[in-house]
Amino acid sequence: MLQLIFLAILINGSAGYNFHLMDTSAYNRYPPGRSYYLLVVDGGTVYYSGISTESKNWLCRMLGYQSYYTQNTYSYSWQQNFPIRYTNLECAGSVVPQCRYQETANYYSSALYIYCNARSQYGDTSNFYLADRSGAHTQQDYGLLMYNGGTVSGKKFDQATADLICYIMGYKDAMSWMVGRKYFTDQKNLRIRITDLNCMTKDRAFPLCTYGTDAANSTHDEDVWLWCDKPNTNNLVCPPGHRKYSSNRCFECSAGTYSPDPTSSSSCSSCPTHSTSLAGSTFCSCNEGTYMNSAGNRCLTCPEKSTSKKGSTFCSCAAGTYLYTSGEEISCVQCPGGKVSKEGSTAPADCVDCPSGTAPINNGQACSCDEGYGWEWSNDGEEEIGYCKPCLANFYKSKINGTCAACPKLATSPPLSGECQCPSGMSWDGESCMNCQGTNNTAGGVCDCLAGSFWNEETSSCNNCPRNHFSGNFSTKCTKCPINTISISQSAECSPCSKGSSWQNYTCTQCEEEEEVGNGVVCIACPDGFPPLNNDTCSCDKGYGWEWSTNKEGSCKACPANFYKDKDQGTCVRCPHEATSLPLSQDCQCPSGLSWDGRGCVDCGSSNSTAGVCDCLPGTFKSEESGQCEPCPKNHFSGKFATVCMMCPVFTVSVPQSAECTSCPKGYSWENYTCTECPENHVGNGATCSVCPEGTSPSKDKTICQKSAVDSLSVGSLVLCVLIIIVVVGIIFVTWRERQARKVLEDIQLTYQAESSTLSGGGKVKGRRCMCPSCPCSEVPKPALPVRGKAVKQDDVYANHS
């Protein structure tokens, strides 16, 4: 199997992916044989770290090879002509890959060398075959079991099935088999073709074996690895990364050992000092901080001020130094004073001067930038060696750092930050988030000190900052306040002197003269005719604003176009974006339909605007605060286009949003814009209430007083009253007479009970007794009982003498 090692480089970042290979002469685009090569695109290369295995498989396939095998990175002096231009390269896709990348300006010594598997002589449409880690056919007796270009899942795989499959592929039988993922990321790019394969005996044909094709419930952790025994072969040869265990079995090399080639040995070689390997390895990787020597048999420790990644063949010197080589011995040499260098510099010529306006910092590691801006190295060949680049969100750069650094886990930051923000309960210590719970739990107890105090190592306690000093949370010292500021003791920050005062030697003094103003730095006298507007601003004419031109000088400056200043303001203020003004203006002009409210343009709503003032309807007024037409309050009124509401005159009132005021109703009085009904025996004219004179009373609506009812009776009324009394008395008398007569008749009837009675002298009277007992009575008929209301006649009762 032919294998090649190359340095992969993008020719074009857009669709098309024009890759080519280049040898050390930088001319041969398609070098043959096994060697190291460079790929160049626009004069640059690809950074070796951060590329997925899938992307590297695509690189190899686009270069005309079977698949990716491994990678490395090397540093040759001629690579200085091909600096790294692309990083974070990612390619993915089913048929045509889609690639993306980021442009960068980096050193040349970390470019990607890629090791590709050559094209297989077998097609991918064969049935069972053994494959290497990429899925390509292998001519070895061991490997990943493949079927039609995909893996075989072995949930039900057993020894009998292994013997049968080896037999089908032309081998004697199976020496060993296992189920498990071995090549990890390479293996996951392959498709699972067969699941649950199981055969009872190798004497049966394959179609009688049971298997499935639905891989939905299968993973590559169940892929089958198979070792087959060649026919008539007595000497067992184990694959690379393995050792012979018995006459027919091979075991993987243990971690820390390796076997680079097929072998019949029963042991694996131990990794050299400063190197490690995983189980089943064919090589050892130098540990981080070491590098492989040129002979490839020793891992040497990187010199001071340099670093290396695991498996590196070189060391990268820190920024501010360059690599010096003497035989196999290397060292990092500090750049001369006043010069800086990139990380990974390899020659004295890499040490350069900082651009104008910047200076070397951190022992030549970078050039100085403001907080929130980090030093960024330019690409080789550009006029400037670098520039100050704004830090992105979740990056930071303090005053002492040179480049923007990523915030650690849990921390965040907005763009242009000098530090990162930590979650609640944690503190930023300049490099990471510290947990500040408990006592003295991090950084010597720094977290226990609040802002305005500092950690005193001598007393092992938090001490308060003195006057005119300040500190933030978790500080180890207090900082002197800047000039023109002061602080009290135990302060977290410093403050300028108050307006109307001056600063001198960390002391604030109030301005003493009546016509003086102060900006917290100095006190100055206002110009003649322009008294102070407040304690830090002198008054100016309309269209002119007060301005402190320096900390020690101030004057009235003409407001430029699109600025304004009215009489109540001290300084010129910019008009809002929709308004304009001429120079020396006291207000701004608003577009049609908008009104200037003194601070901005407001919508007039349904009203129009005239000369920038909303045309308000009667009963409303244009508010200076809102700029809108608002209703007049109670007991106020307005006409059209009003800017204020007028108070109702005396003896009148109004409801809210009134165009006019009205008097109180009659029968009411007015007092303090309130209508009150007049009390009893009073009349009112809408303004006041008055009492009615004696002998008079209020009318029903309490508008006039009138005579009483008794005095107004006529003589006829009196006569009528008398007649009514007489009639009533007559009726009573007649009724009484009738009752008396009836009583008499009832008495007569009671006496008429005996049929006869004896009179004196022997006479008899039939039917009635005589009314007078001494008189003789003659027989008379019995009288009828009189009817009520009928008069009793005289002859109804009489005496008859015989």
PDB file of all heavy atoms in Angstrom, residues 447-474:
ATOM      1  N   CYS A 447     -10.349  37.516  47.765  1.00  0.00           N
ATOM      2  CA  CYS A 447     -11.784  37.590  47.514  1.00  0.00           C
ATOM      3  C   CYS A 447     -12.555  38.112  48.709  1.00  0.00           C
ATOM      4  O   CYS A 447     -13.685  38.543  48.566  1.00  0.00           O
ATOM      5  CB  CYS A 447     -12.322  36.216  47.128  1.00  0.00           C
ATOM      6  SG  CYS A 447     -12.003  35.805  45.402  1.00  0.00           S
ATOM      7  N   ASP A 448     -11.961  38.037  49.899  1.00  0.00           N
ATOM      8  CA  ASP A 448     -12.680  38.478  51.087  1.00  0.00           C
ATOM      9  C   ASP A 448     -12.692  39.994  51.239  1.00  0.00           C
ATOM     10  O   ASP A 448     -13.429  40.523  52.046  1.00  0.00           O
ATOM     11  CB  ASP A 448     -12.059  37.853  52.344  1.00  0.00           C
ATOM     12  CG  ASP A 448     -12.229  36.350  52.348  1.00  0.00           C
ATOM     13  OD1 ASP A 448     -13.203  35.859  51.786  1.00  0.00           O
ATOM     14  OD2 ASP A 448     -11.360  35.683  52.903  1.00  0.00           O
ATOM     15  N   CYS A 449     -11.856  40.717  50.506  1.00  0.00           N
ATOM     16  CA  CYS A 449     -11.765  42.164  50.651  1.00  0.00           C
ATOM     17  C   CYS A 449     -12.710  42.842  49.674  1.00  0.00           C
ATOM     18  O   CYS A 449     -12.661  42.580  48.475  1.00  0.00           O
ATOM     19  CB  CYS A 449     -10.332  42.649  50.406  1.00  0.00           C
ATOM     20  SG  CYS A 449      -9.153  42.026  51.619  1.00  0.00           S
ATOM     21  N   LEU A 450     -13.560  43.726  50.192  1.00  0.00           N
ATOM     22  CA  LEU A 450     -14.499  44.449  49.360  1.00  0.00           C
ATOM     23  C   LEU A 450     -13.835  45.678  48.759  1.00  0.00           C
ATOM     24  O   LEU A 450     -12.725  46.064  49.133  1.00  0.00           O
ATOM     25  CB  LEU A 450     -15.713  44.856  50.186  1.00  0.00           C
ATOM     26  CG  LEU A 450     -16.492  43.706  50.822  1.00  0.00           C
ATOM     27  CD1 LEU A 450     -17.630  44.245  51.672  1.00  0.00           C
ATOM     28  CD2 LEU A 450     -17.025  42.762  49.754  1.00  0.00           C
ATOM     29  N   ALA A 451     -14.550  46.301  47.822  1.00  0.00           N
ATOM     30  CA  ALA A 451     -14.048  47.525  47.211  1.00  0.00           C
ATOM     31  C   ALA A 451     -13.826  48.578  48.291  1.00  0.00           C
ATOM     32  O   ALA A 451     -14.617  48.716  49.223  1.00  0.00           O
ATOM     33  CB  ALA A 451     -15.040  48.035  46.166  1.00  0.00           C
ATOM     34  N   GLY A 452     -12.734  49.324  48.168  1.00  0.00           N
ATOM     35  CA  GLY A 452     -12.378  50.322  49.176  1.00  0.00           C
ATOM     36  C   GLY A 452     -11.429  49.783  50.220  1.00  0.00           C
ATOM     37  O   GLY A 452     -11.048  50.501  51.151  1.00  0.00           O
ATOM     38  N   SER A 453     -11.029  48.515  50.087  1.00  0.00           N
ATOM     39  CA  SER A 453     -10.076  47.911  51.012  1.00  0.00           C
ATOM     40  C   SER A 453      -9.096  47.062  50.214  1.00  0.00           C
ATOM     41  O   SER A 453      -9.267  46.865  49.018  1.00  0.00           O
ATOM     42  CB  SER A 453     -10.799  47.066  52.068  1.00  0.00           C
ATOM     43  OG  SER A 453     -11.499  46.007  51.454  1.00  0.00           O
ATOM     44  N   PHE A 454      -8.056  46.565  50.882  1.00  0.00           N
ATOM     45  CA  PHE A 454      -7.057  45.756  50.198  1.00  0.00           C
ATOM     46  C   PHE A 454      -6.533  44.695  51.156  1.00  0.00           C
ATOM     47  O   PHE A 454      -6.618  44.825  52.383  1.00  0.00           O
ATOM     48  CB  PHE A 454      -5.901  46.635  49.689  1.00  0.00           C
ATOM     49  CG  PHE A 454      -5.036  47.206  50.796  1.00  0.00           C
ATOM     50  CD1 PHE A 454      -3.807  46.632  51.109  1.00  0.00           C
ATOM     51  CD2 PHE A 454      -5.452  48.309  51.532  1.00  0.00           C
ATOM     52  CE1 PHE A 454      -3.012  47.143  52.119  1.00  0.00           C
ATOM     53  CE2 PHE A 454      -4.661  48.826  52.548  1.00  0.00           C
ATOM     54  CZ  PHE A 454      -3.438  48.242  52.846  1.00  0.00           C
ATOM     55  N   TRP A 455      -5.981  43.632  50.570  1.00  0.00           N
ATOM     56  CA  TRP A 455      -5.435  42.534  51.353  1.00  0.00           C
ATOM     57  C   TRP A 455      -4.017  42.867  51.786  1.00  0.00           C
ATOM     58  O   TRP A 455      -3.130  43.075  50.966  1.00  0.00           O
ATOM     59  CB  TRP A 455      -5.454  41.242  50.555  1.00  0.00           C
ATOM     60  CG  TRP A 455      -4.883  40.069  51.304  1.00  0.00           C
ATOM     61  CD1 TRP A 455      -3.673  39.504  51.143  1.00  0.00           C
ATOM     62  CD2 TRP A 455      -5.528  39.355  52.358  1.00  0.00           C
ATOM     63  NE1 TRP A 455      -3.503  38.469  52.022  1.00  0.00           N
ATOM     64  CE2 TRP A 455      -4.640  38.349  52.789  1.00  0.00           C
ATOM     65  CE3 TRP A 455      -6.768  39.477  52.969  1.00  0.00           C
ATOM     66  CZ2 TRP A 455      -4.961  37.466  53.808  1.00  0.00           C
ATOM     67  CZ3 TRP A 455      -7.077  38.595  53.986  1.00  0.00           C
ATOM     68  CH2 TRP A 455      -6.183  37.597  54.391  1.00  0.00           C
ATOM     69  N   ASN A 456      -3.833  42.947  53.104  1.00  0.00           N
ATOM     70  CA  ASN A 456      -2.524  43.265  53.676  1.00  0.00           C
ATOM     71  C   ASN A 456      -1.831  41.952  54.032  1.00  0.00           C
ATOM     72  O   ASN A 456      -2.266  41.234  54.936  1.00  0.00           O
ATOM     73  CB  ASN A 456      -2.701  44.143  54.917  1.00  0.00           C
ATOM     74  CG  ASN A 456      -1.384  44.689  55.420  1.00  0.00           C
ATOM     75  OD1 ASN A 456      -0.342  44.039  55.326  1.00  0.00           O
ATOM     76  ND2 ASN A 456      -1.425  45.899  55.976  1.00  0.00           N
ATOM     77  N   GLU A 457      -0.779  41.630  53.277  1.00  0.00           N
ATOM     78  CA  GLU A 457      -0.088  40.357  53.507  1.00  0.00           C
ATOM     79  C   GLU A 457       0.597  40.326  54.866  1.00  0.00           C
ATOM     80  O   GLU A 457       0.756  39.258  55.464  1.00  0.00           O
ATOM     81  CB  GLU A 457       0.929  40.123  52.392  1.00  0.00           C
ATOM     82  CG  GLU A 457       0.297  39.886  51.031  1.00  0.00           C
ATOM     83  CD  GLU A 457       1.331  39.530  49.993  1.00  0.00           C
ATOM     84  OE1 GLU A 457       2.534  39.543  50.330  1.00  0.00           O
ATOM     85  OE2 GLU A 457       0.942  39.240  48.845  1.00  0.00           O
ATOM     86  N   GLU A 458       1.031  41.489  55.372  1.00  0.00           N
ATOM     87  CA  GLU A 458       1.707  41.522  56.668  1.00  0.00           C
ATOM     88  C   GLU A 458       0.757  41.190  57.809  1.00  0.00           C
ATOM     89  O   GLU A 458       1.111  40.462  58.741  1.00  0.00           O
ATOM     90  CB  GLU A 458       2.332  42.898  56.880  1.00  0.00           C
ATOM     91  CG  GLU A 458       3.452  43.224  55.894  1.00  0.00           C
ATOM     92  CD  GLU A 458       4.067  44.576  56.174  1.00  0.00           C
ATOM     93  OE1 GLU A 458       3.587  45.271  57.107  1.00  0.00           O
ATOM     94  OE2 GLU A 458       5.018  44.947  55.473  1.00  0.00           O
ATOM     95  N   THR A 459      -0.463  41.739  57.722  1.00  0.00           N
ATOM     96  CA  THR A 459      -1.432  41.497  58.804  1.00  0.00           C
ATOM     97  C   THR A 459      -2.399  40.366  58.468  1.00  0.00           C
ATOM     98  O   THR A 459      -3.209  39.982  59.317  1.00  0.00           O
ATOM     99  CB  THR A 459      -2.231  42.783  59.087  1.00  0.00           C
ATOM    100  OG1 THR A 459      -2.960  43.134  57.899  1.00  0.00           O
ATOM    101  CG2 THR A 459      -1.303  43.932  59.465  1.00  0.00           C
ATOM    102  N   SER A 460      -2.340  39.872  57.221  1.00  0.00           N
ATOM    103  CA  SER A 460      -3.278  38.826  56.770  1.00  0.00           C
ATOM    104  C   SER A 460      -4.723  39.233  57.030  1.00  0.00           C
ATOM    105  O   SER A 460      -5.530  38.472  57.561  1.00  0.00           O
ATOM    106  CB  SER A 460      -2.960  37.494  57.459  1.00  0.00           C
ATOM    107  OG  SER A 460      -1.681  37.043  57.081  1.00  0.00           O
ATOM    108  N   SER A 461      -5.049  40.478  56.650  1.00  0.00           N
ATOM    109  CA  SER A 461      -6.402  40.982  56.839  1.00  0.00           C
ATOM    110  C   SER A 461      -6.680  42.054  55.794  1.00  0.00           C
ATOM    111  O   SER A 461      -5.778  42.506  55.083  1.00  0.00           O
ATOM    112  CB  SER A 461      -6.576  41.557  58.253  1.00  0.00           C
ATOM    113  OG  SER A 461      -5.699  42.658  58.445  1.00  0.00           O
ATOM    114  N   CYS A 462      -7.949  42.447  55.714  1.00  0.00           N
ATOM    115  CA  CYS A 462      -8.344  43.513  54.791  1.00  0.00           C
ATOM    116  C   CYS A 462      -8.231  44.857  55.492  1.00  0.00           C
ATOM    117  O   CYS A 462      -8.832  45.058  56.553  1.00  0.00           O
ATOM    118  CB  CYS A 462      -9.781  43.303  54.314  1.00  0.00           C
ATOM    119  SG  CYS A 462      -9.999  41.843  53.291  1.00  0.00           S
ATOM    120  N   ASN A 463      -7.473  45.777  54.938  1.00  0.00           N
ATOM    121  CA  ASN A 463      -7.310  47.123  55.475  1.00  0.00           C
ATOM    122  C   ASN A 463      -7.998  48.129  54.569  1.00  0.00           C
ATOM    123  O   ASN A 463      -7.989  47.967  53.348  1.00  0.00           O
ATOM    124  CB  ASN A 463      -5.828  47.484  55.603  1.00  0.00           C
ATOM    125  CG  ASN A 463      -5.140  46.667  56.689  1.00  0.00           C
ATOM    126  OD1 ASN A 463      -5.736  45.767  57.271  1.00  0.00           O
ATOM    127  ND2 ASN A 463      -3.893  46.976  56.968  1.00  0.00           N
ATOM    128  N   ASN A 464      -8.565  49.189  55.155  1.00  0.00           N
ATOM    129  CA  ASN A 464      -9.245  50.219  54.380  1.00  0.00           C
ATOM    130  C   ASN A 464      -8.249  51.078  53.626  1.00  0.00           C
ATOM    131  O   ASN A 464      -7.151  51.375  54.123  1.00  0.00           O
ATOM    132  CB  ASN A 464     -10.101  51.104  55.288  1.00  0.00           C
ATOM    133  CG  ASN A 464     -11.252  50.340  55.910  1.00  0.00           C
ATOM    134  OD1 ASN A 464     -11.706  49.336  55.352  1.00  0.00           O
ATOM    135  ND2 ASN A 464     -11.736  50.806  57.055  1.00  0.00           N
ATOM    136  N   CYS A 465      -8.625  51.492  52.434  1.00  0.00           N
ATOM    137  CA  CYS A 465      -7.794  52.421  51.675  1.00  0.00           C
ATOM    138  C   CYS A 465      -7.800  53.786  52.361  1.00  0.00           C
ATOM    139  O   CYS A 465      -8.835  54.225  52.879  1.00  0.00           O
ATOM    140  CB  CYS A 465      -8.329  52.578  50.250  1.00  0.00           C
ATOM    141  SG  CYS A 465      -8.133  51.116  49.228  1.00  0.00           S
ATOM    142  N   PRO A 466      -6.662  54.508  52.378  1.00  0.00           N
ATOM    143  CA  PRO A 466      -6.627  55.834  52.998  1.00  0.00           C
ATOM    144  C   PRO A 466      -7.335  56.875  52.131  1.00  0.00           C
ATOM    145  O   PRO A 466      -7.749  56.598  51.011  1.00  0.00           O
ATOM    146  CB  PRO A 466      -5.121  56.125  53.097  1.00  0.00           C
ATOM    147  CG  PRO A 466      -4.521  55.341  51.990  1.00  0.00           C
ATOM    148  CD  PRO A 466      -5.346  54.094  51.843  1.00  0.00           C
ATOM    149  N   ARG A 467      -7.443  58.081  52.645  1.00  0.00           N
ATOM    150  CA  ARG A 467      -8.065  59.193  51.920  1.00  0.00           C
ATOM    151  C   ARG A 467      -7.325  59.464  50.617  1.00  0.00           C
ATOM    152  O   ARG A 467      -6.109  59.337  50.543  1.00  0.00           O
ATOM    153  CB  ARG A 467      -8.051  60.435  52.816  1.00  0.00           C
ATOM    154  CG  ARG A 467      -8.774  61.641  52.267  1.00  0.00           C
ATOM    155  CD  ARG A 467      -8.850  62.704  53.352  1.00  0.00           C
ATOM    156  NE  ARG A 467      -9.481  63.912  52.875  1.00  0.00           N
ATOM    157  CZ  ARG A 467      -8.827  64.967  52.405  1.00  0.00           C
ATOM    158  NH1 ARG A 467      -7.495  64.938  52.371  1.00  0.00           N
ATOM    159  NH2 ARG A 467      -9.467  66.038  51.993  1.00  0.00           N
ATOM    160  N   ASN A 468      -8.109  59.775  49.574  1.00  0.00           N
ATOM    161  CA  ASN A 468      -7.576  60.069  48.238  1.00  0.00           C
ATOM    162  C   ASN A 468      -6.907  58.851  47.607  1.00  0.00           C
ATOM    163  O   ASN A 468      -6.007  58.986  46.776  1.00  0.00           O
ATOM    164  CB  ASN A 468      -6.615  61.261  48.268  1.00  0.00           C
ATOM    165  CG  ASN A 468      -7.327  62.543  48.670  1.00  0.00           C
ATOM    166  OD1 ASN A 468      -8.474  62.775  48.268  1.00  0.00           O
ATOM    167  ND2 ASN A 468      -6.661  63.361  49.489  1.00  0.00           N
ATOM    168  N   HIS A 469      -7.374  57.669  47.996  1.00  0.00           N
ATOM    169  CA  HIS A 469      -6.970  56.414  47.370  1.00  0.00           C
ATOM    170  C   HIS A 469      -8.232  55.583  47.144  1.00  0.00           C
ATOM    171  O   HIS A 469      -9.270  55.823  47.771  1.00  0.00           O
ATOM    172  CB  HIS A 469      -5.989  55.630  48.247  1.00  0.00           C
ATOM    173  CG  HIS A 469      -4.628  56.240  48.312  1.00  0.00           C
ATOM    174  ND1 HIS A 469      -4.374  57.403  49.030  1.00  0.00           N
ATOM    175  CD2 HIS A 469      -3.444  55.865  47.751  1.00  0.00           C
ATOM    176  CE1 HIS A 469      -3.088  57.711  48.913  1.00  0.00           C
ATOM    177  NE2 HIS A 469      -2.508  56.791  48.148  1.00  0.00           N
ATOM    178  N   PHE A 470      -8.158  54.567  46.275  1.00  0.00           N
ATOM    179  CA  PHE A 470      -9.327  53.740  46.000  1.00  0.00           C
ATOM    180  C   PHE A 470      -8.879  52.334  45.631  1.00  0.00           C
ATOM    181  O   PHE A 470      -7.704  52.089  45.318  1.00  0.00           O
ATOM    182  CB  PHE A 470     -10.158  54.337  44.852  1.00  0.00           C
ATOM    183  CG  PHE A 470      -9.516  54.212  43.501  1.00  0.00           C
ATOM    184  CD1 PHE A 470      -9.883  53.202  42.627  1.00  0.00           C
ATOM    185  CD2 PHE A 470      -8.532  55.103  43.111  1.00  0.00           C
ATOM    186  CE1 PHE A 470      -9.287  53.087  41.387  1.00  0.00           C
ATOM    187  CE2 PHE A 470      -7.929  54.993  41.860  1.00  0.00           C
ATOM    188  CZ  PHE A 470      -8.301  53.985  40.996  1.00  0.00           C
ATOM    189  N   SER A 471      -9.824  51.413  45.654  1.00  0.00           N
ATOM    190  CA  SER A 471      -9.562  50.035  45.223  1.00  0.00           C
ATOM    191  C   SER A 471     -10.866  49.389  44.804  1.00  0.00           C
ATOM    192  O   SER A 471     -11.944  49.795  45.254  1.00  0.00           O
ATOM    193  CB  SER A 471      -8.911  49.214  46.345  1.00  0.00           C
ATOM    194  OG  SER A 471      -9.856  48.923  47.359  1.00  0.00           O
ATOM    195  N   GLY A 472     -10.775  48.365  43.944  1.00  0.00           N
ATOM    196  CA  GLY A 472     -11.933  47.570  43.575  1.00  0.00           C
ATOM    197  C   GLY A 472     -12.040  46.349  44.461  1.00  0.00           C
ATOM    198  O   GLY A 472     -11.300  46.192  45.454  1.00  0.00           O
ATOM    199  N   ASN A 473     -12.973  45.461  44.122  1.00  0.00           N
ATOM    200  CA  ASN A 473     -13.113  44.221  44.884  1.00  0.00           C
ATOM    201  C   ASN A 473     -11.855  43.367  44.740  1.00  0.00           C
ATOM    202  O   ASN A 473     -11.216  43.342  43.688  1.00  0.00           O
ATOM    203  CB  ASN A 473     -14.324  43.427  44.389  1.00  0.00           C
ATOM    204  CG  ASN A 473     -15.626  44.067  44.805  1.00  0.00           C
ATOM    205  OD1 ASN A 473     -15.736  44.621  45.895  1.00  0.00           O
ATOM    206  ND2 ASN A 473     -16.627  43.991  43.937  1.00  0.00           N
ATOM    207  N   PHE A 474     -11.514  42.664  45.828  1.00  0.00           N
ATOM    208  CA  PHE A 474     -10.460  41.644  45.813  1.00  0.00           C
ATOM    209  C   PHE A 474      -9.086  42.235  45.473  1.00  0.00           C
ATOM    210  O   PHE A 474      -8.307  41.610  44.752  1.00  0.00           O
ATOM    211  CB  PHE A 474     -10.809  40.513  44.850  1.00  0.00           C
ATOM    212  CG  PHE A 474     -12.263  40.230  44.762  1.00  0.00           C
ATOM    213  CD1 PHE A 474     -12.916  40.233  43.549  1.00  0.00           C
ATOM    214  CD2 PHE A 474     -13.007  39.984  45.914  1.00  0.00           C
ATOM    215  CE1 PHE A 474     -14.273  39.980  43.473  1.00  0.00           C
ATOM    216  CE2 PHE A 474     -14.356  39.727  45.836  1.00  0.00           C
ATOM    217  CZ  PHE A 474     -14.985  39.732  44.624  1.00  0.00           C
TER     218      PHE A 474
END
